Amino acid sequence: MSFSRRRRVALGVTVVLAALLTLLLVYVFPVLPFVPRSTADLKYSVIDVAGDPLVCTGWGVPNGAFTPERDYPRIVADAPTYASILRHKHMPPVALTADQIVIVYREWLKLEAVRLSWNGSMYDFEMTPDGIGGHPEALRNNLQGNVDLFGHVTHVRESADMSACPICLAANSPIATPTGPVPVSKIKVGMRVWSVPADGVGVEATVLETRTRLDAPGSRLVRMVLADGREITASPLHRIGDGRPVGWLKIGDEVNGVRIATLELVADPSGRTYDLLPSGTTGEYWVDGILVESTLFARRPSR
Protein backbone atom coordinates (compact mmCIF):
# COMPACT_ATOMS: atom_id res chain seq x y z
CA MET A 1 0.00 0.00 0.00
CA SER A 2 1.40 3.37 -1.00
CA PHE A 3 2.05 6.09 1.52
CA SER A 4 -0.64 8.38 0.04
CA ARG A 5 -3.21 5.59 0.17
CA ARG A 6 -2.35 4.75 3.78
CA ARG A 7 -2.70 8.41 4.57
CA ARG A 8 -6.18 8.55 3.01
CA VAL A 9 -7.22 5.44 4.92
CA ALA A 10 -5.91 6.88 8.18
CA LEU A 11 -7.76 10.11 7.52
CA GLY A 12 -10.98 8.21 6.83
CA VAL A 13 -10.63 6.23 10.05
CA THR A 14 -10.02 9.47 11.95
CA VAL A 15 -13.17 11.02 10.50
CA VAL A 16 -15.25 7.96 11.43
CA LEU A 17 -13.84 7.90 14.96
CA ALA A 18 -14.53 11.63 15.35
CA ALA A 19 -18.10 11.12 14.20
CA LEU A 20 -18.58 8.25 16.64
CA LEU A 21 -17.10 10.34 19.45
CA THR A 22 -19.43 13.20 18.60
CA LEU A 23 -22.42 10.88 18.67
CA LEU A 24 -21.24 9.49 22.00
CA LEU A 25 -20.88 12.96 23.49
CA VAL A 26 -24.24 14.16 22.14
CA TYR A 27 -26.41 11.12 22.77
CA VAL A 28 -24.84 9.02 25.51
CA PHE A 29 -22.63 10.95 27.89
CA PRO A 30 -25.16 13.67 28.91
CA VAL A 31 -27.68 11.06 30.13
CA LEU A 32 -25.39 8.66 31.96
CA PRO A 33 -26.69 8.06 35.53
CA PHE A 34 -23.77 9.83 37.23
CA VAL A 35 -23.73 12.94 34.99
CA PRO A 36 -25.75 16.04 35.97
CA ARG A 37 -28.24 16.96 33.27
CA SER A 38 -28.32 20.17 31.27
CA THR A 39 -31.20 22.52 32.00
CA ALA A 40 -32.81 21.48 28.71
CA ASP A 41 -32.68 17.81 29.74
CA LEU A 42 -34.13 18.73 33.13
CA LYS A 43 -36.99 20.49 31.39
CA TYR A 44 -37.60 17.38 29.30
CA SER A 45 -37.72 15.38 32.57
CA VAL A 46 -40.42 17.75 33.82
CA ILE A 47 -42.38 17.44 30.57
CA ASP A 48 -42.15 13.63 30.72
CA VAL A 49 -43.83 13.72 34.14
CA ALA A 50 -46.12 16.75 33.99
CA GLY A 51 -47.11 16.69 30.31
CA ASP A 52 -46.65 19.26 27.56
CA PRO A 53 -46.63 22.93 28.56
CA LEU A 54 -48.81 25.56 26.97
CA VAL A 55 -46.88 27.18 24.09
CA CYS A 56 -48.01 30.67 23.13
CA THR A 57 -45.33 31.73 20.66
CA GLY A 58 -44.72 31.13 17.00
CA TRP A 59 -47.97 29.60 15.79
CA GLY A 60 -51.38 30.90 14.78
CA VAL A 61 -49.99 34.23 13.54
CA PRO A 62 -49.65 34.35 9.72
CA ASN A 63 -46.61 36.61 9.64
CA GLY A 64 -43.52 35.71 7.65
CA ALA A 65 -41.40 37.87 9.95
CA PHE A 66 -41.78 35.33 12.76
CA THR A 67 -40.46 32.04 11.40
CA PRO A 68 -38.49 29.08 12.79
CA GLU A 69 -35.55 30.00 10.54
CA ARG A 70 -35.25 33.37 12.28
CA ASP A 71 -34.67 31.81 15.71
CA TYR A 72 -32.80 28.71 14.55
CA PRO A 73 -29.26 30.24 14.64
CA ARG A 74 -29.57 31.18 18.31
CA ILE A 75 -31.01 27.76 19.12
CA VAL A 76 -27.93 26.16 17.56
CA ALA A 77 -25.68 28.59 19.43
CA ASP A 78 -27.02 27.20 22.73
CA ALA A 79 -25.13 23.91 22.26
CA PRO A 80 -26.47 21.97 25.32
CA THR A 81 -30.08 22.82 24.45
CA TYR A 82 -29.60 22.06 20.76
CA ALA A 83 -27.96 18.73 21.56
CA SER A 84 -30.75 17.85 23.96
CA ILE A 85 -33.41 18.54 21.32
CA LEU A 86 -31.56 16.48 18.70
CA ARG A 87 -31.21 13.60 21.14
CA HIS A 88 -34.87 13.64 22.17
CA LYS A 89 -36.05 13.82 18.56
CA HIS A 90 -33.53 11.17 17.42
CA MET A 91 -31.83 13.48 14.93
CA PRO A 92 -28.12 13.21 14.04
CA PRO A 93 -25.87 16.26 14.61
CA VAL A 94 -25.71 17.14 10.92
CA ALA A 95 -27.23 19.81 8.68
CA LEU A 96 -31.01 19.68 9.06
CA THR A 97 -33.76 19.90 6.48
CA ALA A 98 -36.37 22.68 6.59
CA ASP A 99 -38.90 20.28 8.14
CA GLN A 100 -36.40 19.23 10.81
CA ILE A 101 -35.70 22.88 11.65
CA VAL A 102 -39.42 23.36 12.28
CA ILE A 103 -39.39 20.35 14.62
CA VAL A 104 -36.39 21.76 16.51
CA TYR A 105 -38.12 25.14 16.80
CA ARG A 106 -41.29 23.59 18.21
CA GLU A 107 -39.27 21.65 20.76
CA TRP A 108 -37.37 24.80 21.72
CA LEU A 109 -40.66 26.61 22.32
CA LYS A 110 -41.76 23.79 24.63
CA LEU A 111 -38.54 24.06 26.62
CA GLU A 112 -38.91 27.85 26.82
CA ALA A 113 -42.36 27.29 28.37
CA VAL A 114 -40.88 25.49 31.41
CA ARG A 115 -39.36 27.88 33.97
CA LEU A 116 -36.58 26.62 36.29
CA SER A 117 -35.19 28.45 39.33
CA TRP A 118 -32.36 27.14 41.55
CA ASN A 119 -33.29 26.89 45.24
CA GLY A 120 -29.85 25.92 46.59
CA SER A 121 -30.13 22.15 46.30
CA MET A 122 -32.34 21.53 43.25
CA TYR A 123 -34.53 23.40 40.81
CA ASP A 124 -38.07 24.59 41.39
CA PHE A 125 -40.09 24.41 38.19
CA GLU A 126 -43.26 26.11 37.02
CA MET A 127 -45.21 25.65 33.81
CA THR A 128 -48.69 26.19 32.45
CA PRO A 129 -50.19 22.88 31.31
CA ASP A 130 -51.60 22.56 27.81
CA GLY A 131 -54.83 21.05 29.02
CA ILE A 132 -57.59 23.14 27.44
CA GLY A 133 -57.53 22.26 23.77
CA GLY A 134 -58.26 25.13 21.39
CA HIS A 135 -58.39 27.77 24.12
CA PRO A 136 -54.84 29.07 24.72
CA GLU A 137 -56.27 32.31 26.14
CA ALA A 138 -58.27 30.46 28.84
CA LEU A 139 -56.80 30.71 32.33
CA ARG A 140 -55.68 27.50 33.98
CA ASN A 141 -53.72 26.67 37.15
CA ASN A 142 -49.96 26.46 36.75
CA LEU A 143 -48.08 23.32 37.74
CA GLN A 144 -45.05 23.52 40.02
CA GLY A 145 -42.65 21.10 41.66
CA ASN A 146 -38.98 20.17 41.93
CA VAL A 147 -36.39 18.52 39.73
CA ASP A 148 -32.89 17.59 40.89
CA LEU A 149 -29.67 17.72 38.88
CA PHE A 150 -30.16 14.17 37.62
CA GLY A 151 -33.71 14.68 36.36
CA HIS A 152 -35.72 13.23 39.24
CA VAL A 153 -39.04 15.11 39.36
CA THR A 154 -40.90 15.36 42.69
CA HIS A 155 -43.72 17.24 44.44
CA VAL A 156 -45.69 18.00 41.27
CA ARG A 157 -48.75 20.03 42.26
CA GLU A 158 -51.11 22.75 41.09
CA SER A 159 -50.10 26.31 41.88
CA ALA A 160 -52.48 29.01 43.08
CA ASP A 161 -51.30 31.12 40.11
CA MET A 162 -53.38 30.98 36.94
CA SER A 163 -51.87 31.77 33.55
CA ALA A 164 -52.78 31.74 29.86
CA CYS A 165 -51.46 32.99 26.56
CA PRO A 166 -51.32 36.80 26.64
CA ILE A 167 -54.02 38.77 24.83
CA CYS A 168 -53.35 42.25 26.21
CA LEU A 169 -50.67 44.96 26.55
CA ALA A 170 -47.25 45.14 28.19
CA ALA A 171 -47.33 46.72 31.67
CA ASN A 172 -45.54 49.95 30.68
CA SER A 173 -47.82 50.77 27.72
CA PRO A 174 -48.62 54.52 27.95
CA ILE A 175 -52.38 55.14 27.86
CA ALA A 176 -53.55 58.59 26.71
CA THR A 177 -55.53 60.39 29.46
CA PRO A 178 -56.66 64.02 29.86
CA THR A 179 -53.85 64.52 32.40
CA GLY A 180 -51.11 62.89 30.33
CA PRO A 181 -49.88 59.35 29.57
CA VAL A 182 -50.35 56.72 32.31
CA PRO A 183 -48.89 53.16 32.21
CA VAL A 184 -51.68 50.66 31.62
CA SER A 185 -50.66 48.83 34.81
CA LYS A 186 -51.62 51.98 36.77
CA ILE A 187 -55.04 52.47 35.16
CA LYS A 188 -57.94 52.01 37.59
CA VAL A 189 -61.71 51.75 37.19
CA GLY A 190 -63.23 55.23 37.21
CA MET A 191 -60.20 57.00 35.68
CA ARG A 192 -60.65 59.10 32.55
CA VAL A 193 -58.95 58.19 29.26
CA TRP A 194 -59.18 59.40 25.68
CA SER A 195 -61.41 57.31 23.42
CA VAL A 196 -62.84 57.57 19.91
CA PRO A 197 -66.57 57.11 19.20
CA ALA A 198 -67.99 55.99 15.88
CA ASP A 199 -67.85 59.52 14.42
CA GLY A 200 -64.08 59.60 14.91
CA VAL A 201 -63.97 62.66 17.20
CA GLY A 202 -61.85 62.13 20.32
CA VAL A 203 -63.74 62.21 23.62
CA GLU A 204 -63.04 61.63 27.29
CA ALA A 205 -64.26 58.23 28.49
CA THR A 206 -64.52 56.53 31.87
CA VAL A 207 -62.67 53.26 32.53
CA LEU A 208 -65.40 50.70 33.23
CA GLU A 209 -63.22 47.62 33.71
CA THR A 210 -59.58 46.56 33.79
CA ARG A 211 -57.87 43.23 33.25
CA THR A 212 -54.54 41.86 34.48
CA ARG A 213 -53.32 38.31 34.00
CA LEU A 214 -50.19 36.22 34.32
CA ASP A 215 -48.63 35.17 31.03
CA ALA A 216 -47.77 31.52 30.54
CA PRO A 217 -43.99 30.93 30.84
CA GLY A 218 -42.15 31.44 27.56
CA SER A 219 -44.75 33.85 26.17
CA ARG A 220 -43.62 36.54 23.74
CA LEU A 221 -45.21 39.84 22.79
CA VAL A 222 -44.92 41.77 19.53
CA ARG A 223 -43.08 45.11 19.69
CA MET A 224 -44.11 47.36 16.82
CA VAL A 225 -42.32 50.68 16.18
CA LEU A 226 -43.59 53.19 13.64
CA ALA A 227 -41.34 55.34 11.49
CA ASP A 228 -42.21 58.41 13.61
CA GLY A 229 -41.09 56.68 16.83
CA ARG A 230 -44.46 55.71 18.28
CA GLU A 231 -44.56 52.12 19.47
CA ILE A 232 -46.69 49.47 21.11
CA THR A 233 -45.88 46.14 22.73
CA ALA A 234 -48.83 43.76 22.83
CA SER A 235 -49.88 40.18 22.35
CA PRO A 236 -49.96 39.05 18.70
CA LEU A 237 -53.76 38.89 18.67
CA HIS A 238 -54.41 42.33 20.22
CA ARG A 239 -56.11 44.48 17.56
CA ILE A 240 -55.30 48.03 16.57
CA GLY A 241 -58.12 50.48 15.85
CA ASP A 242 -58.77 49.30 12.29
CA GLY A 243 -59.26 45.71 13.45
CA ARG A 244 -55.92 44.21 12.39
CA PRO A 245 -54.14 42.05 15.01
CA VAL A 246 -50.64 43.31 15.83
CA GLY A 247 -49.14 39.92 14.96
CA TRP A 248 -50.58 40.03 11.43
CA LEU A 249 -48.80 43.27 10.54
CA LYS A 250 -45.58 43.44 8.50
CA ILE A 251 -42.73 45.91 8.21
CA GLY A 252 -43.76 48.50 5.64
CA ASP A 253 -47.48 48.29 6.45
CA GLU A 254 -49.06 51.56 7.52
CA VAL A 255 -50.74 52.32 10.84
CA ASN A 256 -52.59 55.65 11.08
CA GLY A 257 -50.85 56.61 7.83
CA VAL A 258 -47.33 55.93 9.16
CA ARG A 259 -45.08 53.08 8.00
CA ILE A 260 -44.09 50.28 10.40
CA ALA A 261 -40.30 50.42 10.82
CA THR A 262 -39.70 47.54 13.27
CA LEU A 263 -41.50 44.36 14.28
CA GLU A 264 -40.00 41.87 16.72
CA LEU A 265 -41.01 39.22 19.20
CA VAL A 266 -39.91 40.15 22.72
CA ALA A 267 -40.17 38.65 26.19
CA ASP A 268 -42.50 40.35 28.65
CA PRO A 269 -40.29 41.40 31.60
CA SER A 270 -43.23 41.84 33.99
CA GLY A 271 -44.81 38.46 33.19
CA ARG A 272 -48.24 40.13 33.14
CA THR A 273 -50.37 41.80 30.50
CA TYR A 274 -53.05 44.43 31.00
CA ASP A 275 -56.12 45.85 29.29
CA LEU A 276 -58.92 48.31 30.01
CA LEU A 277 -62.46 48.98 28.83
CA PRO A 278 -63.42 52.63 28.22
CA SER A 279 -67.02 53.77 28.14
CA GLY A 280 -68.54 54.58 24.77
CA THR A 281 -69.58 52.77 21.62
CA THR A 282 -66.24 51.49 20.28
CA GLY A 283 -64.07 50.31 23.19
CA GLU A 284 -61.09 52.06 21.60
CA TYR A 285 -58.29 53.99 23.31
CA TRP A 286 -54.80 55.29 22.55
CA VAL A 287 -51.43 53.69 23.37
CA ASP A 288 -48.52 56.04 22.60
CA GLY A 289 -50.67 57.69 19.93
CA ILE A 290 -51.70 54.35 18.35
CA LEU A 291 -55.41 53.56 18.42
CA VAL A 292 -56.22 50.06 19.77
CA GLU A 293 -59.32 48.03 20.55
CA SER A 294 -60.09 46.74 24.04
CA THR A 295 -60.22 42.95 24.31
CA LEU A 296 -62.95 43.48 26.92
CA PHE A 297 -65.33 45.33 24.59
CA ALA A 298 -67.02 42.23 23.13
CA ARG A 299 -68.05 41.09 26.60
CA ARG A 300 -70.08 44.23 27.32
CA PRO A 301 -73.85 43.57 27.64
CA SER A 302 -75.93 45.01 24.81
CA ARG A 303 -78.20 47.98 25.60
Side-chain angles (χ1 to χ4, degrees):
M1 181 184 296
S2 67
F3 174 76
S4 60
R5 185 176 179 185
R6 287 197 302 271
R7 187 175 181 180
R8 288 196 300 270
V9 171
L11 179 60
V13 171
T14 300
V15 170
V16 171
L17 290 176
L20 291 175
L21 179 59
T22 299
L23 289 173
L24 180 67
L25 291 175
V26 170
Y27 290 100
V28 179
F29 185 75
V31 292
L32 291 175
F34 55 85
V35 177
R37 306 293 193 261
S38 69
T39 55
D41 281 322
L42 295 181
K43 290 180 178 183
Y44 270 124
S45 295
V46 171
I47 292 171
D48 289 342
V49 173
D52 283 344
L54 178 66
V55 173
C56 303
T57 305
W59 307 106
V61 180
N63 190 331
F66 310 132
T67 62
E69 289 77 10
R70 180 171 178 171
D71 282 308
Y72 182 65
R74 67 190 183 103
I75 299 173
V76 174
D78 182 358
T81 296
Y82 185 58
S84 179
I85 292 173
L86 293 182
R87 187 168 56 254
H88 280 80
K89 301 309 294 184
H90 308 293
M91 295 179 183
V94 297
L96 302 184
T97 66
D99 289 342
Q100 288 174 323
I101 289 174
V102 170
I103 292 172
V104 168
Y105 180 63
R106 286 175 167 165
E107 290 298 301
W108 176 72
L109 292 177
K110 285 170 55 176
L111 296 178
E112 289 283 290
V114 180
R115 182 185 296 125
L116 298 182
S117 56
W118 181 249
N119 66 18
S121 60
M122 62 179 63
Y123 286 99
D124 299 321
F125 75 80
E126 186 167 22
M127 57 173 276
T128 304
D130 185 16
I132 307 177
H135 299 283
E137 75 287 352
L139 288 168
R140 72 287 307 272
N141 287 93
N142 288 353
L143 291 179
Q144 60 186 26
N146 305 106
V147 57
D148 68 19
L149 291 175
F150 302 99
H152 303 123
V153 178
T154 56
H155 304 110
V156 180
R157 60 200 182 277
E158 279 194 350
S159 165
D161 292 333
M162 299 186 75
S163 300
C165 289
I167 57 174
C168 304
L169 302 170
N172 61 352
S173 302
I175 306 302
T177 80
T179 58
V182 176
V184 67
S185 60
K186 304 297 183 183
I187 296 290
K188 307 296 182 185
V189 171
M191 292 178 65
R192 305 286 285 176
V193 300
W194 287 112
S195 183
V196 178
D199 62 12
V201 179
V203 297
E204 290 188 29
T206 301
V207 176
L208 302 178
E209 185 179 349
T210 62
R211 182 212 299 268
T212 178
R213 57 195 288 162
L214 282 170
D215 298 336
S219 296
R220 301 288 181 90
L221 304 178
V222 176
R223 178 174 177 260
M224 176 183 75
V225 182
L226 303 185
D228 61 7
R230 289 178 292 160
E231 66 176 79
I232 185 174
T233 300
S235 68
L237 296 180
H238 201 108
R239 297 178 183 273
I240 59 175
D242 61 15
R244 291 177 294 171
V246 174
W248 290 38
L249 300 172
K250 299 178 178 64
I251 292 175
D253 289 350
E254 290 191 352
V255 175
N256 304 139
V258 180
R259 182 180 60 84
I260 297 174
T262 302
L263 275 174
E264 59 180 337
L265 287 174
V266 297
D268 181 9
S270 75
R272 289 180 179 270
T273 48
Y274 298 78
D275 201 4
L276 63 101
L277 175 63
S279 60
T281 58
T282 64
E284 296 175 349
Y285 58 93
W286 298 90
V287 179
D288 196 22
I290 299 171
L291 191 64
V292 303
E293 295 181 2
S294 171
T295 61
L296 301 169
F297 184 70
R299 297 198 290 110
R300 289 187 63 190
S302 58
R303 298 188 178 186

